[in-house]
Amino acid sequence: MPLETKLPKVGTTIFTVMSQLAAEHGAVNLGQGFPDFAVPQRLVDELDRAMREGHNQYAPMTGVLPLRQAIAGKVLRCYGRQVNPDTEITVTSGATEALFNAIHAVVRPGEEVIVLDPAYDSYEPAIELAGARAIHVALDPRSFAVDWDKIRAAITPRTRLLIINSPHNPSGAMLDETDMKALAEILRDTGIFLISDEVYEHIVFDGRRHESVLRYPELAERAFVVSSFGKTYHCTGWKIGYAIAPPALSAEFRKVHQYNVFCTFAPAQHAFAAMIRDEPEHYEQLGAFYQEKRDRFRAQLLETRLKPLPVPGGYFQLVDYSAVSDLPDTEFVRWLTIEHGVTAIPLSPFYENAPADQRLARLCFAKNAATLDAAIERLKKL
Ligand code: PMP
Ligand code: GLN
């Protein structure tokens, strides 16, 4: 029976494509974003304990209470906002599920959702499945700063939702206080909801402050703030995240979550509850931990012909490869993998219309020194 696809623009994600190519060619994989070092031992012990203690059946739909309480405590400490664990926090199967739920909770067919290009790849398919349209507004091609006048100009009576992401994937750019104030002013007196994708919230450098939407009451009252333990605890494969939203928004979010997955992996929820409660140093020191990796990697890149761009946050390093090659980015990263044994992620898949002359690739530095050293040895030969 012929089937007309609901997602004509979607193929296999660039992260999977590049990881497969890296494996085929034995390349050092700095493409797909995942750490190659161990999760904290305490977390493994707590997971083991949770399973042995019998936390192996369905968790409550919203997430286990100790974890929701621990998240509320962390949010109060970090951002000064009191959120109610019963009515405002929902634990999800990764940030991806939270983003999907939030979009489906508020967006109706025919409506518009503003996304900032380059944008994480899961936003648009979720918007399209809701029968809505993604309206792409480009960030500055060099600094990846938001031009708020462009956002204002993109708003129409059909605009239902805006999605922001700071620290930003793929660039690492961060929104500052001026951005947040501009955003608040634009959304004031509109019915537009906000998703703030903050999965890299604890990976910030050089003493900068992460401007969580949770610090801004006027924004928080219309927002779903999404985060992921995969990034904070080096366990992208566990797929646990959460969304924080005011009670009325959380209620709609939970209607989707309830029939999407119902609940998420119970033992890990107990393990994260213990980690957050008993070892706040882990997330407090995450910025310093990654800053050391960033600085070392950037210093090494100066010995290659790749030019590193600034990295305020996150665990990705953008490099300008124009001194090495004039190939378009998707061809360049294939060539780099096959001919030079290092895998990167191109930027064009993050765009509706990537700038034609952009020669940037993304390298993940959430890796052991030995992995980064091996990549650098190969990159020096370019
Ligand atoms: N948003 C951004 C910006 C991401 O980079 C990622 C994953 N790397 C996600 C969402 C998805 O997070 P998760 O793996 O927890 O689903
Ligand atoms: N978010 C990760 C990245 O940007 C990849 C996630 C995935 O593979 N779906 O690299």
Side-chain angles (χ1 to χ4, degrees), residues 94-96 99 120 123 165 169 197 199-200 228 231 239:
T96 310
L99 291 161
Y120 187 59
Y123 306 157
N165 168 216
N169 180 4
D197 179 342
V199 302
Y200 301 102
S228 170
K231 316 292 164 186
K239 294 296 293 187

Side-chain angles (χ1 to χ4, degrees), residues 5-17:
T5 177
K6 290 178 74 177
L7 294 170
K9 288 189 258 174
V10 172
T12 305
T13 83
I14 190 63
F15 311 115
T16 302
V17 168

Side-chain angles (χ1 to χ4, degrees), residues 161-225:
L161 177 69
L162 166 66
I163 306 181
I164 57 170
N165 168 216
S166 177
H168 179 241
N169 180 4
S171 73
M174 287 173 63
L175 299 175
D176 63 19
E177 207 177 328
T178 316
D179 290 310
M180 304 311 276
K181 289 190 173 144
L183 173 60
E185 201 212 304
I186 288 174
L187 296 185
R188 195 171 298 145
D189 303 325
T190 73
I192 301 172
F193 295 104
L194 180 65
I195 292 179
S196 184
D197 179 342
E198 302 185 9
V199 302
Y200 301 102
E201 63 180 318
H202 299 296
I203 312 179
V204 302
F205 308 131
D206 308 316
R208 282 226 11 209
R209 187 174 101 145
H210 167 58
E211 294 300 335
S212 175
V213 156
L214 294 166
R215 293 185 192 277
Y216 296 86
E218 188 184 349
L219 289 172
E221 76 187 21
R222 60 174 78 232
F224 300 89
V225 175

